[in-house]
Structure formats: structure tokens, C-alpha cells
Amino acid sequence: MSIARVTEISATSEKGFEDAIRQGLTRANETLRNVKSAWVKEQSVDCQGGNISAYRVNMMVTFVLDD
């Protein structure tokens, strides 16, 4: 039987939402073991001078706990 845990993380990118997701998952995998999935909970942008300056995602990351 496996037991999983869910943690919420935020990631930001100047390129786009997909890049923010990749960066967040890459960083999560450096800290957490057995990352299995992520659910993008929210997306938002930062604006500066009427233009998008950053893309942000809040994700729920699921990882399986060690036995």
C-alpha cells in the first residue's frame, strides 16, 4: 500500500505558464522524492507598464512517501 502527500508550490517564469510549470516541477524533484503528479490550481500574471512581466502558477504536487 502506498501513502502519498500533497504540497502546494508556486513557480514564476518570464517566458510563459508552461515554463513556470516546468521550473516548479524541476525544483520540486530536487527536494522531494517520488513526485507522481501535479495539478495546476491557479494561473496569474504580473503586469508592468501594461505588459505581462511574469507568469505565475500555483500547483498541488503529489509525491509518494517512502516505506
Side-chain angles (χ1 to χ4, degrees):
M1 179 170 102
S2 296
I3 304 295
R5 183 175 178 128
V6 179
T7 189
E8 186 169 358
I9 64 169
S10 293
T12 305
S13 168
E14 294 179 356
K15 297 179 184 176
F17 290 118
E18 191 171 329
D19 187 57
I21 293 167
R22 277 197 187 91
Q23 287 188 42
L25 287 175
T26 297
R27 180 63 178 91
N29 275 292
E30 291 173 4
T31 305
L32 304 170
R33 291 185 301 277
N34 304 318
V35 173
K36 297 299 180 189
S37 66
W39 170 59
V40 177
K41 183 177 169 184
E42 296 176 321
Q43 295 180 326
S44 61
V45 295
D46 293 339
C47 298
Q48 211 169 42
N51 296 313
I52 295 173
S53 59
Y55 298 83
R56 180 175 294 111
V57 294
N58 291 339
M59 299 183 286
M60 304 300 284
V61 177
T62 303
F63 58 99
V64 176
L65 300 175
D66 291 337
D67 289 333

